[in-house]
Amino acid sequence: MFIGHFAIAYIFHYLFPSLPLWVALVGVSFPDLLWPILVILGIEKATMDPKSPLQKNIKFNHYPYSHSLVLSTAIAFVFGAIISILLNNTAILFLFPLLSASHWFLDAIVHRKDLPVLGFSKKDIKVGLGLWNHGKAAFVLEYIFYIILTIVFAPSSSLVLLLALGTLFHIANMNSFLGLTKTNSFAKGKYTYPIITLLGFGLFIILATLL
Ligand SMILES: [Zn+2]
């Protein structure tokens, strides 16, 4: 999931106005900011299918640190504590791990059964409802989810720009839902997909914060 995560950041920012929007956006993106770095470092592993751009065909072989409910939330707690100290904002200490955990729950709707619960057991339970198996439905539902929550919770001063930004990024991500090409250009090289993921999330956070 991509833009759907950001909608949760708007809810948190609405409920807790002392939480800076950029911290909320980094929090909901945390697992997907950590994941590319760990893949590049060879700590986590994913395999792309060069013949398919579909998200359902990415094999997330091993990603317990970035994408398990328990371990990744614990890591988010450490990062939240650092941000909380740097910004002198106690609320971030509690909210940052919750924001990061929200990422797991939303991912659990779309991912196939590959999301670990604990992250530190060989017999870990893996979950995923597999909405990505239904690419068109997943594309429409994630967009509706983003639009409705943005209209209700996003700051009114930047509402139109955030709706436009979400629409633009969702369209940019369209091929991974609909499989419009028969090859996957992100499968070239080991680092292309992690870098694209990092750029996608990073760019959205920067633009949504500056708008
Ligand atoms: Zn994710």
Side-chain angles (χ1 to χ4, degrees):
M1 183 171 281
F2 185 32
I3 62 162
H5 292 299
F6 303 125
I8 304 297
Y10 306 149
I11 300 179
F12 272 70
H13 180 61
Y14 175 86
L15 294 175
F16 307 98
S18 69
L19 175 74
L21 183 61
W22 73 267
V23 176
L25 290 165
V26 171
V28 295
S29 311
F30 183 71
D32 274 348
L33 294 172
L34 189 60
W35 177 79
I37 297 166
L38 295 180
V39 169
I40 289 167
L41 293 175
I43 297 167
E44 295 198 338
K45 193 172 181 281
T47 316
M48 313 283 296
D49 181 351
K51 292 198 184 93
S52 166
L54 295 170
Q55 295 177 96
K56 68 170 184 175
N57 290 332
I58 303 169
K59 278 202 181 74
F60 294 98
N61 315 79
H62 182 68
Y63 60 165
Y65 304 103
S66 68
H67 275 79
S68 66
L69 178 60
V70 175
L71 189 55
S72 77
T73 306
I75 296 169
F77 183 80
V78 176
F79 277 81
I82 295 167
I83 301 169
S84 160
I85 292 165
L86 290 174
L87 299 184
N88 195 18
N89 183 328
T90 318
I92 294 171
L93 179 66
F94 303 101
L95 295 177
F96 197 83
L98 284 178
L99 288 156
S100 175
S102 82
H103 183 109
W104 188 89
F105 284 101
L106 284 189
D107 268 5
I109 298 168
V110 295
H111 274 239
R112 300 171 83 175
K113 258 193 167 123
D114 58 29
L115 281 165
V117 175
L118 298 174
F120 46 78
S121 164
K122 281 221 166 95
K123 289 179 187 155
D124 209 349
I125 306 161
K126 291 189 175 167
V127 300
L129 297 175
L131 184 59
W132 276 344
N133 288 328
H134 314 279
K136 280 182 197 150
F139 181 72
V140 174
L141 287 172
E142 185 172 341
Y143 187 58
I144 292 173
F145 179 79
Y146 177 85
I147 293 295
I148 291 176
L149 292 179
T150 304
I151 290 171
V152 177
F153 295 104
S156 52
S157 55
S158 46
L159 175 62
V160 176
L161 288 167
L162 290 175
L163 288 173
L165 196 63
T167 304
L168 208 69
F169 276 69
H170 198 51
I171 290 170
N173 194 22
M174 185 162 67
N175 200 25
S176 70
F177 289 93
L178 306 178
L180 305 172
T181 61
K182 296 296 157 223
T183 55
N184 188 345
S185 45
F186 297 157
K188 282 182 199 127
K190 223 167 126 188
Y191 304 129
T192 310
Y193 188 64
I195 289 169
I196 292 292
T197 304
L198 205 53
L199 281 177
F201 276 88
L203 204 60
F204 190 99
I205 292 167
I206 291 167
L207 291 174
T209 306
L210 294 177
L211 288 175

